[in-house]
Amino acid sequence: MTAYERSDEISMEELWSLAETAGAEPVCTLLQSRDKPDPHSFLGGGKVQELKELIENEECDLAIFDNDLSPSQARVLEEALGVRVLDRTGLILDIFAQRAHTREGILQVELAQYRYLLPRLTGMWTHLKRQAGTSAPIGTRGPGETQLETDRRHIRRRIQKLAEELEQVRRVRGTQRKQREKNSMPVVALVGYTNAGKSTLLNTLTGDSIQTGDRLFDTLDTTTRKLSLEEAGQVLLSDTVGFIRKLPHELVDAFKATLEELTYADLLLHVIDISNPDWETQAQVVDDLIWRLGAAQTPCIRVYNKCDAYFGRLPGGEDEVCVSARTGEGTKTLLYAIGQKLGSDLARVQLVVPYDRSALVDRLRREANILELSYEDDGAHILAVVRPDLRARVTEFEVERHA
């Protein structure tokens, strides 16, 4: 198919899981093999009738399609099937609306929903108007073009306002990013397919207790924690929203303020659920989206998670680490690999800082990885890992290291 990504048993299983995540109770699936979708009803006429019979037999009240439907296709299918019709984008937007908790997350989801809704308004009102004929009771007739235009203007204004608010979020992020760069704080971003175990890995690496669950899109709002590495000092570890195949472009556009952080990260950890039979396809989906977001040149370590549940031959190439975020297996190797990637321009220094330069000791606490610290008669004795710009400021206090 040209404008559509073909569905198969695996993507339908994923759709089933998405439906359950949204709170639905799926009962059956139906696949059709076609060279391209029917422009009028997406499915062929015979398949529409087959689906209608399935819906009646199972007493369903919702039909969810694994592909995006045009507004007219959705309207035709609703009339033919006699139930509500939802496409994959609408379903994912619904899940995101349930998962968003921070102000930023709520703004991003609302913007995506309005962008999705706007081109569908005409079909919605046409559908209502057709239902309410001349004999329809008072109050049920369609609102007509005046109401339609009013709603369009309202939604366009709301889209503009949301976009402006999110632009402010981007400016704030830019300020925070400059402060991080000033403080020489490297950023490591966790990316991966939804439910690959990114949040569990963040908890394991940092000792945090962020709530996790075995659900799609369990993490929506970005979480950032500090991580101390012997080779690289203090770094920021950020968990990001999970990717998924056929990720709605409305969501990618709306979440740009969050996802653009990937382009400024010093290192990506691409977390892959190797226990999933479809892990190679999932990894490719993430790689494609990383490229789409302009972060393809960012250094990356592929982290094969859930290795304790995988019984095949484990990968072991360059910039590849196998771990179990649940048990902690392999995490020391991963921490070492992160440190090696980030620490190539770092130096280990032995310092004696006089007591009248306590501000410098405070800065070292913030920006360096202090391995040893003791207070002697002549000042603070510090063994630390520092970045080049900070080393230039402490060179005069360096002393020869002793084994």
Side-chain angles (χ1 to χ4, degrees), residues 10 52 56 68 118 149 159 173-174 183 193 204 210 273 283 311-312 321 361 391-392:
I10 293 176
K52 180 177 175 62
E56 291 172 350
D68 283 349
L118 186 60
E149 286 304 317
I159 286 174
R173 281 187 182 277
N183 292 340
Y193 209 77
T204 301
I210 299 166
D273 176 6
F311 301 102
V321 179
V361 177
R391 185 177 188 181

Side-chain angles (χ1 to χ4, degrees), residues 153-189:
R153 284 195 297 271
H154 169 74
I155 289 178
R156 288 192 183 107
R157 282 196 299 268
R158 185 62 184 152
I159 286 174
Q160 182 178 356
K161 186 173 187 303
L162 289 167
E164 289 170 356
E165 290 186 50
L166 283 171
E167 183 56 36
Q168 177 61 28
V169 170
R170 295 181 77 174
R171 284 195 289 269
V172 170
R173 281 187 182 277
T175 302
Q176 293 171 340
R177 191 180 305 117
K178 287 178 182 176
Q179 186 62 41
R180 289 200 305 262
E181 291 170 354
K182 181 181 178 182
N183 292 340
S184 302
M185 187 84 72
V187 177
V188 179

